[in-house]
Amino acid sequence: MTLSAGTKLGRYEIRSKIGEGGMGEVYRAFDPKITREVAIKILPPALSADKDRLARFEQEAQAAGALNHPNILVIHHIDTHDGAPYIVSELLEGETLRERMGGTALSQRKAIEYALQVAHGLAAAHEQGIVHRDLKPENVFITKDGRLKILDFGLAKLTASGVGAKSQTEVPTRRVNTDPGVVMGTIGYMSPEQLRGQPADHRSDIFSFGAILYEMLSGRRAFRGESTADTMSAILREDPPDLSETNKLINPALERVVNHCLEKNPEERFNSARDLAFAIEALSGSTNLSSPTVVSELPAKRRKLRELVPWAVAGLFFLAALTFAVLYFRRPAPANQPPVRFVINMPENASEISSPSISPDGRTVAFLATSEGKRLLYVRRLDSVAAHRLNGTDDALLPFWSPDSRYLGFFSDNKLKKIEVSGGPSQTLCDARNAAGGSWNREGVIIFGLENNGMQRVPAAGGSPALFLKLDESRKEVVQAYPNFLPDGRHFLYQSWNGEEAIISVASLDGGERKPLVKNDSNAAYVAPGYLLFARNTTLMAQSFDVGKLQLGGEPFPVVEQVAYSVATGYSNFSVSDNGTLIYWNGSPSNRQLVWFDRAGKRLNVVGPPGGYNDVALSPDEKRAAVQRDDSANSDIWMMDLERGVVGRFTFNTELDDDPAWSPDGSSIIFNSGRGGVRGIYRKVSSGAGNEELLLKADVITNGMDWSSDGKFIVFEGSDSQTGSNLWVLPLFGDMKPYVVLQTQFNETHGRVSPDNRWLAYVSNESGRNEVYVQSFPPAGGKWQVSTTGGAQPHWRADGKELFYMTPDRKLMAVDVNSQQSFGVSAPKLLFQTTVARYEAPNRYAVARDGQRFLINSAVQEVSHTMTVVLNWTSEIKR
């Protein structure tokens, strides 16, 4: 079914045909809605005959597309045309891995670089329960900028055409080339369990990965025969020839990784693609991959995993010794010395790792981690084997170092604090409501950004903060964040945002000089001898920077991939020391899961795939949930079908969409956004049909919304520089003019109207910490404190007889409510411990109408507990 230029498929306009194969035709097309070119793959019409099979394929392909992983092809849309299913994806420019290899071996360094990217992509997919089933060099694409993309997730499942039929991976569909003895089709990359017709899980992909890596290193297939039967027999019964037979310089450790992937028994392969990526990344940090003298030459026969343990232990001691030596002597690395990479493990009982910050002297790493329900600061010397937590840093945010590496500054309870890393109590320096990062210079000055109130400075000994850099009214700035001093201690980098775009700029302490550097939504850092580091989504970039002239030069280039990045905050998890040591956390924002719990804390069931979920809003009929979800490129509202576990995008915009709330009848959803440069509250029909409607163009930042049960009012937070966060009401009748209902010198947040619309539950920090209170609605005197040891995120039961909230250590609490005449509550009672990410943020859980079940945004139990350290990373630039 060849399409001519100009043909319309839905909203897409065909531009030209760019390829075809056994799985259909591929076209270049144009999407006018988002004004970009896309690729459209049209599959054979016969594949849509089985509706159940097509539905399964659509679900899996959509799940793969929702990953938004840099090493997986992004799928935008799936539909049918004249009975033929088609897939709309990002348009790639480059070549397949098959074309890149061209029948010859790649260098070890290039093979490892490619293998690591494929392993990261597989790990992201496997962690969401998605298995490729047809991994081969034709399904690995190399873009012009050197990034690998895994193609065609879900197609192998689609091609299974009934009971007893063989999938695309099980038949030789086409000849790759015409050389004698070369395997036909994709059979040469199948796992033994696939050939036997046994269930194939993620370890089948690991076997296929091993076959691809073998081919990259040797230039020949791992398994090949004169016929299909011969090839199948080789996969089932034979080991491929040793890599060292064709390349005496092959790194034995690398050969062991390949052999471990190609074990016949799935139980003996790498347990996960994440473990595989870890092993490859360790190899990428070897001092000389092309030299056989790096490690002692071992017999190249396959070994069981237990035989590798001594080598792993020896390798760890070697890396620790190397790190200590480099840091101890602090000698500049020779220009020809390659970078050294190694990982440091986090505390086993800690979760929610984030915000790594390396000391200026390059000896110590600080980071945030949640332990026993509390988010605390941890520190670890790089020459030590363990990290220790700093008590008195509860709910810390955005740590930064003193220039002498003795103290850490951080934010907690709307205060700026500091603590000595060797031990001792924390000290409060000043108020810092809604702070957005800080930096500390050698003159004893700390600067920090405040939402809606520009850049502040305060002595490191404490005092009253003073505004020295106002928000740029010409740009309509609303936030100046993540300041970072340059070496002169007078100038600093910072990121600003105006609701439409973010810019990294440089300014001075006297406030009279500010200079935009680059449009980019990320924190930034300077590193000698002259580079600006910043992130573009999950890729850490560098660009030449003249620190004397405060001027960028040349083009930015990638330094490292897979750095954890939050679209919602524009924060990238990297840090660099004065001597150039780089550290980053390569975790993923997709480490949250929606889980139903009962009142005793028993997990009832998990809903949908993991993702970068934040806010959760349950529909009135409890069949759907609107969730705010971050991915590597954007932050939108997504809709989760709670019965089927299927999640799909609800809003489509490049700006941050946040804080969803349902109308009482479930017909529409409101949310916050800054789309088109217009900040405010928007409404959209919950079916997803039609466009968004702007309800309120806000002059203040709006957050944490709720909709009264009679449908007449929307309660929201409005924050400004003078009074902090206040509670406002937007009436949905009359002139729809918003007004303040609760405004004090303290922060009032998380407003929730009771089901009978008589009471307003909210959070205030008037006591010095966040507590839950209740007032009449509208306020008419009388106020009751509900929580006793700190609290946030109040939610009413549907009958108004119970109120729930979250404590600072993430415990879900409940109080009985008696509101027949006046208002009264019982003593709080503990329900169970949760793993919500930020208790002080709104809507991290939702309550079923009967109060017997809770849909909680929970931590995925298996998360990355390592951070990567890179020494001498600039040497790659010199080469």
Side-chain angles (χ1 to χ4, degrees):
M1 183 177 58
T2 300
L3 302 179
S4 59
T7 303
K8 289 289 188 68
L9 268 70
R11 71 172 189 256
Y12 307 101
E13 180 181 329
I14 298 297
R15 290 286 174 84
S16 62
K17 185 176 180 179
I18 56 178
E20 63 181 312
M23 286 302 296
E25 300 174 331
V26 183
Y27 293 86
R28 180 190 297 266
F30 181 72
D31 183 351
K33 184 174 181 179
I34 49 181
T35 63
R36 67 179 171 191
E37 289 191 320
V38 296
I40 296 181
K41 174 177 279 191
I42 302 179
L43 306 174
L47 296 180
S48 65
D50 187 330
K51 300 301 181 183
D52 290 339
R53 179 160 44 89
L54 180 60
R56 289 195 303 270
F57 157 68
E58 289 178 348
Q59 179 177 340
E60 181 161 343
Q62 286 171 343
L67 288 169
N68 281 315
H69 191 276
N71 297 122
I72 295 176
L73 180 73
V74 176
I75 296 174
H76 301 309
H77 185 62
I78 300 171
D79 210 332
T80 58
H81 174 74
D82 291 343
Y86 67 86
I87 307 169
V88 183
S89 68
E90 63 178 319
L91 181 66
L92 302 178
E93 301 286 351
E95 60 186 343
T96 66
L97 178 59
R98 170 72 65 207
E99 293 166 332
R100 175 63 60 86
M101 289 190 297
T104 61
L106 303 178
S107 69
Q108 287 189 62
R109 189 172 300 280
K110 186 59 68 176
I112 288 176
E113 175 189 333
Y114 289 167
L116 184 58
Q117 294 188 56
V118 175
H120 281 311
L122 286 177
H126 291 171
E127 286 166 7
Q128 293 203 20
I130 304 169
V131 181
H132 193 287
R133 301 180 183 85
D134 193 20
L135 196 63
K136 55 186 178 181
E138 290 82 357
N139 281 338
V140 178
F141 195 90
I142 306 170
T143 64
K144 287 184 176 180
D145 62 358
R147 175 172 290 177
L148 266 69
K149 295 273 189 176
I150 305 175
L151 313 180
D152 288 352
F153 270 100
L155 289 186
K157 175 176 282 190
L158 175 63
T159 54
S161 56
V163 177
K166 294 184 178 181
S167 74
Q168 177 74 5
T169 60
E170 294 171 330
V171 295
T173 57
R174 66 186 182 93
R175 183 176 294 275
V176 176
N177 59 46
T178 57
D179 292 341
V182 174
V183 182
M184 299 176 65
T186 60
I187 197 169
Y189 304 93
M190 292 170 56
S191 65
E193 57 267 31
Q194 283 180 293
L195 287 176
R196 295 188 179 103
Q198 298 170 340
D201 59 15
H202 64 280
R203 292 169 298 185
S204 179
D205 282 352
I206 291 175
F207 185 93
S208 302
F209 172 94
I212 294 172
L213 181 53
Y214 183 98
E215 191 169 344
M216 284 196 288
L217 292 167
S218 67
R220 63 185 185 183
R221 302 292 180 88
F223 305 100
R224 60 180 180 176
E226 295 295 331
S227 66
T228 298
D230 292 339
T231 302
M232 295 173 65
S233 177
I235 293 173
L236 292 171
R237 299 177 179 85
E238 300 174 13
D239 291 336
D242 292 335
L243 285 168
S244 54
E245 289 182 5
T246 57
N247 185 354
K248 297 299 183 183
L249 298 181
I250 195 76
N251 187 332
L254 178 58
E255 186 169 17
R256 288 195 295 273
V257 168
V258 175
N259 292 340
H260 197 33
C261 292
L262 294 176
E263 293 284 0
K264 307 298 185 188
N265 183 357
E267 299 292 334
E268 296 180 4
R269 297 175 203 149
F270 284 97
N271 186 56
S272 69
R274 184 69 64 192
D275 292 343
L276 173 58
F278 179 87
I280 296 172
E281 191 154 19
L283 285 170
S284 70
S286 298
T287 56
N288 188 345
L289 282 170
S290 63
S291 171
T293 60
V294 175
V295 292
S296 59
E297 194 160 338
L298 299 174
K301 298 183 182 293
R302 188 159 299 141
R303 288 163 171 77
K304 304 298 182 185
L305 182 60
R306 62 178 177 270
E307 295 179 79
L308 301 181
V309 171
W311 291 96
V313 173
L316 289 176
F317 276 112
F318 167 76
L319 289 173
L322 174 63
T323 305
F324 179 79
V326 171
L327 296 175
Y328 182 81
F329 293 107
R330 301 185 66 187
R331 295 171 179 170
N336 60 351
Q337 180 179 322
V340 175
R341 295 176 175 86
F342 59 94
V343 297
I344 57 174
N345 291 315
M346 300 294 103
E348 289 186 1
N349 62 343
S351 62
E352 303 293 339
I353 309 296
S354 66
S355 303
S357 183
I358 192 165
S359 59
D361 63 12
R363 297 174 181 266
T364 309
V365 174
F367 57 91
L368 299 176
T370 299
S371 177
E372 299 174 355
K374 294 182 179 181
R375 185 176 63 243
L376 298 165
L377 263 173
Y378 284 73
V379 291
R380 173 183 160 164
R381 288 183 60 88
L382 293 186
D383 58 358
S384 174
V385 296
H388 70 276
R389 67 184 185 185
L390 299 178
N391 294 323
T393 61
D394 295 25
D395 293 310
L397 288 170
L398 299 170
F400 58 96
W401 287 89
S402 64
D404 60 4
S405 303
R406 289 182 55 199
Y407 290 88
L408 277 166
F410 64 97
F411 302 94
S412 177
D413 297 328
N414 292 308
K415 307 285 186 183
L416 169 63
K417 302 179 180 181
K418 71 177 182 181
I419 189 168
E420 193 165 2
V421 295
S422 61
S426 63
Q427 306 170 47
T428 298
L429 303 182
C430 65
D431 289 331
R433 288 188 291 194
N434 300 321
S439 189
W440 190 332
N441 74 2
R442 296 187 180 279
E443 305 302 319
V445 175
I446 293 177
I447 59 175
F448 58 96
L450 291 181
E451 263 189 20
N452 276 345
N453 201 17
M455 202 66 66
Q456 315 284 318
R457 61 182 291 171
V458 68
S464 297
L467 174 67
F468 73 92
L469 187 68
K470 295 182 179 180
L471 296 173
D472 188 344
E473 294 183 358
S474 66
R475 288 193 59 245
K476 298 182 180 180
E477 285 182 346
V478 294
V479 174
Q480 292 174 348
Y482 314 130
N484 198 318
F485 273 114
L486 293 174
D488 65 4
R490 176 173 169 266
H491 291 91
F492 61 94
L493 304 165
Y494 70 99
Q495 180 239 65
S496 65
W497 184 67
N498 66 357
E500 187 173 3
E501 66 178 5
I503 294 180
I504 295 173
S505 301
V506 63
S508 63
L509 271 177
D510 58 21
E513 180 184 358
R514 69 175 91 192
K515 179 181 180 180
L517 295 176
V518 59
K519 290 184 179 181
N520 196 78
D521 190 7
S522 157
N523 45 311
Y526 171 80
V527 60
Y531 297 101
L532 181 73
L533 293 180
F534 56 90
R536 286 183 177 168
N537 295 328
T538 59
T539 301
L540 182 62
M541 310 291 293
Q543 188 169 359
S544 178
F545 182 60
D546 188 323
V547 73
K549 297 179 180 179
L550 304 179
Q551 184 174 327
L552 288 171
E555 294 295 323
F557 53 89
V559 174
V560 68
E561 304 279 356
Q562 298 306 298
V563 179
Y565 173 79
S566 169
V567 176
T569 62
Y571 182 80
S572 178
N573 285 261
F574 78 91
S575 177
V576 63
S577 69
D578 288 349
N579 61 5
T581 299
L582 173 68
I583 184 168
Y584 63 92
W585 176 52
N586 58 350
S588 167
S590 301
N591 62 346
R592 310 297 302 172
Q593 187 95 55
L594 299 187
V595 183
W596 279 111
F597 292 85
D598 65 13
R599 292 179 68 95
K602 179 182 177 181
R603 291 168 66 101
L604 301 177
N605 64 288
V606 175
V607 181
Y613 305 121
N614 291 315
D615 297 315
V616 180
L618 189 62
S619 65
D621 63 7
E622 301 181 0
K623 294 181 178 180
R624 294 181 292 170
V627 294
Q628 185 251 324
R629 172 173 170 166
D630 296 340
D631 55 38
S632 62
N634 207 0
S635 178
D636 287 295
I637 309 300
W638 292 62
M639 190 68 71
M640 177 77 79
D641 185 321
L642 298 178
E643 295 178 342
R644 297 189 299 140
V646 177
V647 61
R649 197 183 299 269
F650 180 71
T651 64
F652 301 80
N653 195 266
T654 57
E655 300 301 328
L656 171 67
D657 295 338
D658 200 3
D659 291 318
W662 291 81
S663 63
D665 62 3
S667 64
S668 59
I669 289 174
I670 55 173
F671 58 92
N672 294 313
S673 182
R675 54 192 58 208
V678 180
R679 290 184 293 113
I681 299 174
Y682 290 77
R683 175 169 57 188
K684 185 175 182 179
V685 176
S686 62
S687 66
N691 296 321
E692 297 85 357
E693 172 192 4
L694 178 63
L695 292 180
L696 174 65
K697 181 180 178 181
D699 295 325
V700 296
I701 294 178
T702 56
N703 291 297
M705 300 185 297
D706 188 39
W707 205 322
S708 63
S709 63
D710 58 10
K712 295 181 179 180
F713 302 97
I714 292 172
V715 176
F716 66 93
E717 300 168 22
S719 61
D720 59 42
S721 60
Q722 302 301 317
T723 59
S725 295
N726 310 301
L727 293 182
W728 292 65
V729 164
L730 173 65
L732 297 180
F733 55 88
D735 60 4
M736 295 183 62
K737 184 176 181 179
Y739 57 89
V740 177
V741 292
L742 199 56
Q743 183 179 55
T744 70
Q745 60 181 313
F746 307 105
N747 285 336
E748 290 81 35
T749 59
H750 300 194
R752 296 291 178 268
V753 182
S754 64
D756 62 6
N757 299 309
R758 296 174 56 204
W759 312 101
L760 178 67
Y762 65 97
V763 175
S764 174
N765 65 343
E766 63 183 76
S767 68
R769 67 182 177 192
N770 287 336
E771 298 281 6
V772 176
Y773 298 84
V774 170
Q775 274 195 219
S776 58
F777 181 74
K783 181 174 70 173
W784 297 266
Q785 182 175 330
V786 175
S787 60
T788 57
T789 58
Q793 301 189 59
H795 283 285
W796 297 91
R797 198 169 77 188
D799 60 6
K801 294 183 178 180
E802 202 169 18
L803 185 64
F804 306 93
Y805 67 89
M806 196 70 65
T807 64
D809 56 357
R810 282 63 172 172
K811 291 183 173 69
L812 183 62
M813 309 294 290
V815 295
D816 296 323
V817 174
N818 183 355
S819 59
Q820 293 299 318
Q821 302 299 323
S822 60
F823 186 86
V825 293
S826 68
K829 53 188 175 185
L830 170 65
L831 295 185
F832 57 91
Q833 177 75 57
T834 74
T835 58
V836 297
R838 294 183 59 191
Y839 97 97
E840 71 275 21
N843 298 327
R844 280 352 187 219
Y845 72 101
V847 182
R849 295 182 62 81
D850 60 3
Q852 300 303 304
R853 294 183 305 144
F854 305 87
L855 185 62
I856 297 183
N857 183 356
S858 304
V860 173
Q861 293 183 355
E862 293 185 6
V863 298
S864 171
H865 278 71
T866 62
M867 288 185 184
T868 302
V869 179
V870 188
L871 307 176
N872 195 33
W873 64 270
T874 56
S875 65
E876 289 188 333
I877 303 170
K878 299 165 188 173
R879 289 199 297 271

